[in-house]
Amino acid sequence: GPDKDVAFIPAKKATSLAATDPGRLVELVKIDPTIRLDMRYATTNNFTGTVLYSEARAFLTAPAAQAVVRASRTARAEGFGLTIFDAYRPWRVTKKLWDATPVGPKKNYVANPKRGSKHNRGCAVDLSLHDLATGELVDMPTGFDDFSEKAHRDYMGASAGAIENRARLQRYLEAEGFVGLSNEWWHFDFTGWEKFPVLDIPFDKVG
Ligand SMILES: C[C@@H](N)C(=O)N[C@H](C)C(=O)O
Ligand SMILES: [Zn+2]
């Protein structure tokens, strides 16, 4: 598990999240069926090249999930949909991602399992936008999990369209209480994440 001072709910305590607990994980598509999933860690199409999730499902704590739904509504009104790459991530998967990342600068793009990831708390989301008219993902400065400086939120070497789309995504999420991670244009943390424990509940035990 993570460091002793990190509040941690291991897999065997999965039932300790009551239905009324604000930290209870909510499945995004159940509260907004228009949200599209491209859960990359449920496929080999991710930086590890291995399947890390047995199911392609996106969960967040209730307040974070509701905030994503509000962002989705604003996006849709302007002709865009949300495509989710990752949301709640069990702690054991953060451990695997960390171990799969070589020592060096790429470690800056993955949370250290000793502290846990905000994804483990159901309070971080990785996502992009698709164009509702064409169904295509919009142009962004990089693909998901590009661990280079081109992924930085302030990287200005991308096309004007990609920079505009990155700003649009940031505007939708920041209006609803998320803060963008400086290194990764696709990653947003929900304000107040400190109040939620690091979880290691597998998807099939979330309920
Ligand atoms: C691995 C990448 N998708 C990611 O989520 N990075 C942040 C820093 C994390 O692991 O929490
Ligand atoms: Zn992330």
Side-chain angles (χ1 to χ4, degrees), residues 29 33-38 82-85 130-131 135-137:
V29 296
T34 72
I35 290 174
R36 188 192 282 184
L37 302 185
D38 181 11
L82 305 188
T83 292
I84 309 289
F85 299 128
H130 58 270
D131 184 328
E136 298 286 326
L137 279 175

Side-chain angles (χ1 to χ4, degrees), residues 128-139:
S128 189
L129 297 172
H130 58 270
D131 184 328
L132 289 177
T134 64
E136 298 286 326
L137 279 175
V138 303
D139 193 23

Side-chain angles (χ1 to χ4, degrees), residues 8-9 11 35 40 54 59 64 70 74 80 82 92 94 96 99 102 105 147 160 172:
F8 179 53
I9 299 183
I35 290 174
R40 301 281 293 274
S54 56
F59 304 92
R70 293 194 302 272
T74 309
F80 297 89
L82 305 188
R92 68 189 64 189
T94 280
K96 284 184 182 162
D99 293 344
F147 295 164
Y172 294 148

Side-chain angles (χ1 to χ4, degrees), residues 89 119 126 187:
R89 178 188 305 159
H119 285 282
D126 296 337
H187 176 113

Side-chain angles (χ1 to χ4, degrees), residues 4-201:
K4 290 273 176 278
D5 64 335
V6 175
F8 179 53
I9 299 183
K12 62 180 184 296
K13 280 204 185 158
T15 54
S16 64
L17 281 177
T20 53
D21 191 318
R24 176 88 194 175
L25 295 169
V26 172
E27 191 157 14
L28 288 178
V29 296
K30 287 199 177 148
I31 56 171
D32 183 349
T34 72
I35 290 174
R36 188 192 282 184
L37 302 185
D38 181 11
M39 303 300 292
R40 301 281 293 274
Y41 301 131
T43 74
T44 57
N45 183 19
N46 66 67
F47 77 93
T48 72
T50 64
V51 174
L52 297 163
Y53 294 161
S54 56
E55 300 171 50
R57 298 172 76 188
F59 304 92
L60 288 174
T61 59
Q66 285 150 10
V68 168
V69 170
R70 293 194 302 272
S72 167
R73 285 206 196 102
T74 309
R76 290 183 66 79
E78 297 186 3
F80 297 89
L82 305 188
T83 292
I84 309 289
F85 299 128
D86 197 32
Y88 164 65
R89 178 188 305 159
W91 180 84
R92 68 189 64 189
V93 176
T94 280
K95 177 84 168 69
K96 284 184 182 162
L97 295 180
W98 181 254
D99 293 344
T101 307
V103 174
K106 288 192 167 48
K107 288 277 199 212
N108 293 328
Y109 296 85
V110 184
N112 188 327
K114 286 182 182 300
R115 305 308 304 166
S117 165
K118 294 166 186 89
H119 285 282
N120 306 150
R121 299 171 189 262
C123 289
V125 61
D126 296 337
L127 78 172
S128 189
L129 297 172
H130 58 270
D131 184 328
L132 289 177
T134 64
E136 298 286 326
L137 279 175
V138 303
D139 193 23
M140 285 291 190
T142 69
F144 173 58
D145 277 354
D146 177 305
F147 295 164
S148 79
E149 68 176 30
K150 292 183 179 171
H152 294 185
R153 208 165 277 290
D154 62 0
Y155 174 71
M156 295 308 285
S159 70
I163 289 169
E164 188 183 316
N165 291 331
R166 178 180 67 194
R168 178 182 289 281
L169 177 65
Q170 184 171 330
R171 178 159 55 78
Y172 294 148
L173 274 290
E174 291 193 346
E176 304 303 344
F178 285 89
V179 177
L181 187 65
S182 64
N183 272 2
E184 305 179 11
W185 63 258
W186 57 83
H187 176 113
F188 294 85
D189 295 315
F190 190 61
T191 306
W193 58 267
E194 302 89 339
K195 297 192 286 282
F196 298 94
V198 168
L199 306 172
D200 191 32
I201 302 172

